[in-house]
Amino acid sequence: MKTRALSLCAAASLLLVPCLAGEDIPRTPSGRPDFSGNYDVSFLTPLERDPRFGDREYFTEEEARAIADGMVAANARDQEVRDPDRDVIAGRSEEGYRGVGAYNAFWLDRGTAAFKVDGKYRTSVITDPPNGRLPPRTEAGQARFDTLPPFGYENTGTAWWLENGDDPYDGPESLTLGNRCVFHQGSTMPIGPRAYNNLKTIVQTDSHVVILIEWMHWARIVRLGANHIPEDYRSYAGDSIGRWEGDTLVIETRNLLGDWGFHREGAHVVERLRFQDKDTLFYEFTVNDPEFTAPYSGSLPWPRTDDLLYEFACQEGNYSMGNTLRGARYLEQRHLEKHGR
């Protein structure tokens, strides 16, 4: 047993993750690591590295402190008392309003600092390619990506789509899954820090691991020791099966629905979870996506939290989507009246 423990420590040191003695981590009655609990991945570390850092993996202490201080300053500016008679519109055009702004800092939770690995602040969640950035898309992948509707369009105050034949506001189905509160790929898999809703709840048995994602309230059900279902059955988060490699849970996901998000038909994702210390998980992922020119990988810690994951309830209170469509109908009516149609 001592020899095995030493070999596991040696492997962990190569991955720059602190090694734990097996008895120091919580375990289930069957002896497996017990990941059950709540975790908060609110960090200021970006998914992709700023190109000015090149292949540099870590921030200096001064750079990391500047990032944290910048967030404190931004939050303070956002909480300043404003003139109630101010012009709240961000910009105007002859035809109407360009925008009214979005959430203030009260609604956001980006975290307070970049995360550390091996005692140093990482410059990106992505670790491979070495530049810490997503690999380029293939020609076909870029062409398909260019056909997807964006999360939002600039509001020029006109029904510009009536002139060019587009239908971005034709109905709920023409809006993105995020606008419709159906699914959010970036918070679901692979998992990384987002602007808010960064809590994850893990519930674990000997046969299943469930990872409840706060954003869109998506429950990822991982079947342990199982086989993938037939490829004809697909969903936005795919079909996840898991296996134990020592004290590491390996999750493989396939059968990803190909209409939205990063992943398409033929793509698969491999994730690994293990304890970094008794109060922190370490999460790694590798994405193999045929629409990218190469696979990409990343990692980050998952600190345990006492905070609770509450109901997301986006759809039933999603006034934004209905008002977006109402606003589009209003602009269309104005356009038709102006042009005598």
Side-chain angles (χ1 to χ4, degrees), residues 121-133:
Y121 292 100
R122 281 251 302 275
T123 53
S124 61
V125 172
I126 291 179
T127 55
D128 187 62
N131 66 0
R133 299 187 64 79

Side-chain angles (χ1 to χ4, degrees), residues 81-88:
V81 176
R82 291 172 170 80
D83 180 359
D85 297 321
R86 72 190 186 283
D87 182 2
V88 299

Side-chain angles (χ1 to χ4, degrees), residues 35-37 39 200-204 209-212 273 281 302:
F35 297 151
S36 299
Y39 300 88
K200 321 294 173 189
T201 295
I202 296 181
V203 178
Q204 179 179 338
V209 172
V210 177
I211 305 174
L212 182 59
L273 270 176
L281 300 182
W302 287 18

Side-chain angles (χ1 to χ4, degrees), residues 6 11 37 42 78 88 102 187 206 208 210 246 268 277 280 307 334-335:
L6 288 174
S42 300
D78 193 77
V88 299
S187 65
D206 286 341
H208 292 79
V210 177
H268 68 277
D277 58 52
T280 311
D307 292 342
R334 288 184 58 190
H335 178 93

